[in-house]
Amino acid sequence: MIIDKRVCYIHIPRTGGKYVRDTLVLNNYLVEIHRYNFFHRGKELPHLTYPEYDEYLNFMSLQKFTVVRDPVDRFLSMCRETHNLNENKIKKILDNQEYFDEAISHFRLNNLGNWFIPQVNFLNYQTKIWKFEDGFGDEFKKWLKNNFNINVNIYPNKKELGNNNTPNYIESLTDKQISFIKNYYYQDYKILEY
């Protein structure tokens, strides 16, 4: 999304993007391209990857930033919010690496929101990165000010960023199941230093 026609926020799904958008709007910033019912090449505008968003923006010269999240936590968040995933499907996906890779590849091909795509696919070398785990308090406020001259007051989030309604079968992943996620998203771990 574009903020006051000068900064582009790259919204990676399940990294607190709606909270960031709401914070900017509540602070009277003009926020464009944040509607989920508009598409570019079949993908939701707010969740375009690189270089899709550059192409859509006609390669405008904008500063860019994003929020990233530990890939395992992000995957669990995606599972919580993907309505057609139930306990049996998730258990099957997490049965072995081959099933996991195949399922995620299927989701990537058929998911309009780019949810299951690795986070590094949203970045270019100029994108400044904030980590979800660092929170959205005073340090985030300072970071926005120092990097983009964006001044915000931080408002309490009406919905917790971490959903507490997590089914038990997701929270009780084995080390082996976690390794399937880490193996698939290995570039996120390497490049984003998780």
Side-chain angles (χ1 to χ4, degrees), residues 50 53-54 64 120-129:
Y50 177 78
Y53 55 77
D54 270 353
K64 296 176 179 76
V120 295
N121 291 28
F122 289 84
L123 311 175
N124 72 14
Y125 70 96
Q126 296 174 321
T127 307
K128 293 196 184 303
I129 296 171

Side-chain angles (χ1 to χ4, degrees), residues 14 18 69 74-85 90 111 115-116 159-167 170:
R14 309 313 306 158
K18 289 179 185 170
R69 185 175 188 176
R74 180 173 174 254
F75 177 77
L76 296 177
S77 179
M78 290 184 286
C79 288
R80 286 182 207 108
E81 298 297 326
T82 302
H83 302 293
N84 62 348
L85 283 180
I90 292 173
N111 185 300
W115 275 34
F116 290 90
K159 179 183 174 188
E160 288 294 319
L161 289 173
N163 185 341
N164 293 327
N165 299 324
T166 306
I170 293 177

Side-chain angles (χ1 to χ4, degrees), residues 1 3 9 11-27 29 31 34 36 47 65 67 69 130-132 134-141 144 152-162:
M1 78 184 83
I3 305 156
Y9 168 63
H11 182 180
I12 299 172
R14 309 313 306 158
T15 61
K18 289 179 185 170
Y19 176 77
V20 172
R21 179 202 61 207
D22 291 348
T23 297
L24 294 165
V25 169
L26 287 169
N27 283 277
Y29 283 94
V31 177
H34 67 280
Y36 293 92
H47 294 154
F65 78 95
V67 176
R69 185 175 188 176
W130 181 261
K131 289 194 172 181
F132 180 91
D134 292 333
F136 295 96
D138 288 337
E139 290 303 313
F140 181 63
K141 178 180 174 175
L144 286 174
V152 295
N153 291 314
I154 301 296
Y155 296 96
N157 190 3
K158 292 179 184 175
K159 179 183 174 188
E160 288 294 319
L161 289 173

Side-chain angles (χ1 to χ4, degrees), residues 85-159:
L85 283 180
N86 58 33
E87 179 175 359
N88 290 334
K89 287 182 181 178
I90 292 173
K91 283 183 179 179
K92 175 110 174 128
I93 290 168
L94 292 168
D95 189 53
N96 64 52
Q97 189 72 56
E98 185 178 346
Y99 285 160
F100 186 87
D101 293 354
E102 186 177 308
I104 301 303
S105 294
H106 173 77
F107 294 152
R108 287 176 62 174
L109 291 172
N110 297 294
N111 185 300
L112 293 176
N114 283 343
W115 275 34
F116 290 90
I117 290 180
Q119 295 169 93
V120 295
N121 291 28
F122 289 84
L123 311 175
N124 72 14
Y125 70 96
Q126 296 174 321
T127 307
K128 293 196 184 303
I129 296 171
W130 181 261
K131 289 194 172 181
F132 180 91
E133 297 77 14
D134 292 333
F136 295 96
D138 288 337
E139 290 303 313
F140 181 63
K141 178 180 174 175
K142 287 180 202 170
W143 185 79
L144 286 174
K145 170 68 175 151
N146 292 339
N147 287 284
F148 307 102
N149 200 27
I150 293 175
N151 295 299
V152 295
N153 291 314
I154 301 296
Y155 296 96
N157 190 3
K158 292 179 184 175
K159 179 183 174 188

